[in-house]
Amino acid sequence: MQDSETFGVEKGHGKDVIEWLNGYSKKNNIKLEARLYGYTVSTENFGDFEMFSWMGDVQAARKLIIKASKRFKVRVIEGGYKPSERVFRMKKFDYAKVRKGDKSIGYIEFVASRFGNNEWSINNEERR
């Protein structure tokens, strides 16, 4: 996975976290570039999140989003988990963990239309 659009950060902290992610990765020569794309997702159990996309190394992205969660003391969505079954569907699915620091506090299932340029919406969410 070279990029993902199902990563998010607690609403109100998006700009700070993205600036920190990009600065940290540039300073430490990590191949990662993140940017907000002006889309907010609301969840029943976890609150509102500003969604962002990133390009680069998946392992670095996962480590840095957890580090950012600890540093800014905010909840984050760590997306990009795919279902194990290989069934063609009319919609595309993506799965994400909701984290606060090192702790996983829940799971979210995103869904979007396979056709057209629709944004991700929440299909299901579960508290841990």
Side-chain angles (χ1 to χ4, degrees):
M1 178 172 73
Q2 291 288 344
D3 61 355
S4 178
E5 293 182 344
T6 55
F7 275 57
V9 65
E10 206 170 321
K11 190 170 183 173
H13 300 279
K15 186 178 178 186
D16 296 333
V17 170
I18 297 302
E19 286 176 3
W20 181 83
L21 285 171
N22 289 331
Y24 187 89
S25 60
K26 192 172 195 175
K27 185 173 79 176
N28 293 302
N29 293 325
I30 298 171
K31 292 183 180 183
L32 181 73
E33 180 188 343
R35 63 188 169 278
L36 289 170
Y37 59 94
Y39 181 58
T40 304
V41 169
S42 296
T43 65
E44 286 181 27
N45 294 316
F46 311 111
D48 297 337
F49 291 89
E50 295 177 57
M51 302 303 285
F52 68 92
S53 62
W54 60 269
M55 295 174 63
D57 181 32
V58 66
Q59 297 301 332
R62 293 195 191 284
K63 282 183 192 175
L64 287 180
I65 193 69
I66 292 169
K67 237 180 212 197
S69 176
K70 287 182 198 175
R71 179 180 175 88
F72 292 95
K73 294 178 176 65
V74 295
R75 285 183 232 118
V76 294
I77 295 176
E78 178 189 345
Y81 293 98
K82 302 294 181 199
S84 58
E85 71 256 8
R86 299 283 182 208
V87 178
F88 180 75
R89 296 182 181 163
M90 293 304 283
K91 295 184 178 186
K92 56 184 175 180
F93 289 88
D94 201 9
Y95 298 91
K97 288 183 185 179
V98 179
R99 292 183 169 271
K100 182 149 187 176
D102 285 334
K103 290 179 64 175
S104 178
I105 59 173
Y107 303 99
I108 296 177
E109 178 183 48
F110 287 99
V111 65
S113 175
R114 223 174 249 299
F115 308 107
N117 194 9
N118 292 343
E119 295 175 334
W120 292 97
S121 62
I122 294 177
N123 189 38
N124 194 8
E125 60 183 271
E126 176 183 321
R127 241 183 212 287
R128 189 157 191 220

